[in-house]
Every structure is written in structure tokens, then in C-alpha cells.
Amino acid sequence: MSDHRDDKIEDILVDSELAKKLVPNKFKFTSQQGRVRRQKLLMGAKKLSETRSINDISLADVCEEAGIPRASAYHFFPNIEAIFLALRFLNAIEILEILTTVETVDYDRWQGYLTALIQRCVNIFHDDQTKAKLIYDTNTPDFEGDSFGEDMDHQIVELVYKRLSERYEMPKFEDLQDIFLVTYSIINGIFTLSYRRHERITDNYLQEATTASIAYLRCYLPEKLPRKNR
């Protein structure tokens, strides 16, 4: 993780509500040594997950990889699930940041923008396979019972809706954002199927996700949305 990612860890894992879910008490270590140790634990877990099943990785394994005593690791994360949950949450933030770089002005129609977003997601997963593993693999730590995963889904949907609304005259459906949330779920479901069958998002399933999501949205959006006058 870069210094920027270390700052992100501090912003999210220390100051956010997520910290209360990951450890019994608010993170106590804000010193440079504490930040370095937390980062080493996360990077150790990430490195191990590149070649091993997440279910086969223990807290002792991560501590050994990171060079951090287990007694010290408990100050940051109570168990291995918390480490992977934190890593997954940070990955979600990073994915959202990357998706914000896809601009509607680069495409003539909404279909092109949506296609580019889906392709960008797959590129992210190809560049860092642990991101896909933490989202789509079986029995990986999830945001069950908490709002973090749902919040991230809604942030992605809101990003897409906002970008399209800035460029196009959108239909006046009260539940239009819910329609985009269903679209997101369609894509996510197809990606999950692809990963659990092939341990990656294949080109065929990428095409299926693109086709299915656009076909669904065509039930609500015209083939060519009128652009807003600027």
C-alpha cells in the first residue's frame, strides 16, 4: 500500500464507524508505529490471499507474514475475519474512486458509458485478483448485519445516476435509482457466477453482464437519451 493508501486506512479504519465493528474498542494506535503495523497486517493478508484460499489463512499466518507478534495484532484486529473485512472495505473505496474517472462525455450514448464502467470494473479485478476474491469467492467475510456493503452499493448507483443526470434528460421515474440498483445487482450476480466457476471474470461473462444490464435498462430508458443543453 502506498502512503496515500495508508492515509486512507487512517481516515476509514480509525475515524469511521467501521472501526467500532472491527475491534471491540476504537483503534488506539495513531502513532507512526501503529499505522505501520496495521498496514503490514493488511498487506500480509493481501499477499497470502494472492496464492491461498482465504478460508485457509489464519491470524497466525498473517502475523508471521507481516512480522507482527500476535499479541500486538489483537490491538488492531480481533480475528482474521476483521482483517479481511477491513481489506474488502478499503478495496470498495478504491474501486469507487476509480469508477469516478469514467466520464459520460467520452461516450455518445448511455450504453457506451455503462459498458465502459463494467469494463473498468473487470480491468480492476484483472489487475488485482484479490479484489474479486474478497467480493465473489465463497465463504469470504461479508458485511452481514451491517450497512457498509449496502452503503457502498448505493454509492456506486448514485455515482452512475448522477453522471447520467448531469449529461442527459433522464426520465421522471420516482424509483429510477432503484432501477439502477437492480441493474447493479444483475451485473454483480453475473460476476459472482463467473468467478465461482472460473475464479475470474471471463470475457464471455463480461459480455453477458453488459448485455443483460443494458437490456434491462432499455425497459426504462430510451435508446437515445436527449442531452442537456449547456
Side-chain angles (χ1 to χ4, degrees):
M1 290 185 179
S2 65
D3 291 341
H4 171 69
R5 299 299 296 139
D6 189 38
D7 291 340
K8 186 64 67 177
I9 292 171
E10 290 305 297
D11 292 341
I12 296 171
L13 298 187
V14 176
D15 297 328
S16 78
E17 289 297 310
L18 181 61
K20 299 177 182 179
K21 303 293 184 179
L22 296 178
V23 294
N25 301 305
K26 186 178 177 65
F27 284 112
K28 296 182 292 182
F29 293 94
T30 57
S31 66
Q32 180 63 28
Q33 182 186 38
R35 289 194 296 271
V36 168
R37 288 191 168 191
R38 183 159 49 246
Q39 186 174 356
K40 283 183 176 180
L41 288 168
L42 289 168
M43 289 305 298
K46 183 179 187 301
K47 183 176 180 181
L48 290 173
S49 66
E50 290 173 355
T51 56
R52 294 171 57 180
S53 170
I54 290 174
N55 291 332
D56 294 335
I57 300 172
S58 67
L59 182 60
D61 294 332
V62 173
C63 290
E64 181 178 358
E65 177 67 32
I68 304 295
R70 192 185 305 187
S72 178
Y74 285 123
H75 290 296
F76 302 100
F77 301 103
N79 50 48
I80 187 63
E81 288 81 10
I83 294 178
F84 281 114
L85 189 60
L87 190 59
R88 180 177 175 184
F89 188 71
L90 290 169
N91 286 341
I93 294 293
E94 185 176 352
I95 290 170
L96 181 61
E97 290 176 348
I98 293 172
L99 293 183
T100 61
T101 66
V102 182
E103 300 286 352
T104 55
V105 294
D106 294 331
Y107 308 95
D108 292 333
R109 298 188 179 185
W110 62 266
Q111 296 93 328
Y113 171 67
L114 185 64
T115 299
L117 278 177
I118 299 171
Q119 180 66 67
R120 186 65 61 87
C121 284
V122 173
N123 291 346
I124 293 169
F125 296 145
H126 285 173
D127 291 341
D128 184 352
Q129 296 183 12
T130 60
K131 286 184 170 62
K133 181 180 286 188
L134 280 168
I135 297 173
Y136 301 119
D137 204 359
T138 57
N139 299 319
T140 54
D142 203 353
F143 297 108
E144 295 179 2
D146 297 318
S147 62
F148 301 114
E150 184 178 351
D151 287 346
M152 293 309 304
D153 294 346
H154 280 281
Q155 285 190 49
I156 291 175
V157 169
E158 288 172 4
L159 168 67
V160 175
Y161 180 79
K162 179 182 177 182
R163 289 293 172 83
L164 289 175
S165 297
E166 289 171 349
R167 183 165 173 77
Y168 301 107
E169 296 290 348
M170 299 292 285
K172 303 301 182 182
F173 294 126
E174 290 184 1
D175 58 349
L176 188 55
Q177 288 199 45
D178 286 340
I179 291 169
F180 279 104
L181 188 60
V182 172
T183 306
Y184 175 85
S185 298
I186 291 171
I187 298 167
N188 202 44
I190 293 173
F191 280 3
T192 299
L193 180 61
S194 179
Y195 189 87
R196 293 184 181 182
R197 284 186 173 182
H198 305 287
E199 295 186 347
R200 63 190 180 92
I201 312 300
T202 67
D203 291 342
N204 287 339
Y205 278 96
L206 166 62
Q207 184 59 52
E208 290 295 323
T210 304
T211 300
S213 57
I214 291 177
Y216 173 75
L217 278 178
R218 278 177 172 149
C219 297
Y220 302 95
L221 301 182
E223 191 68 21
K224 188 172 183 180
L225 284 169
R227 294 183 186 177
K228 287 186 174 180
N229 296 322
R230 294 188 177 274

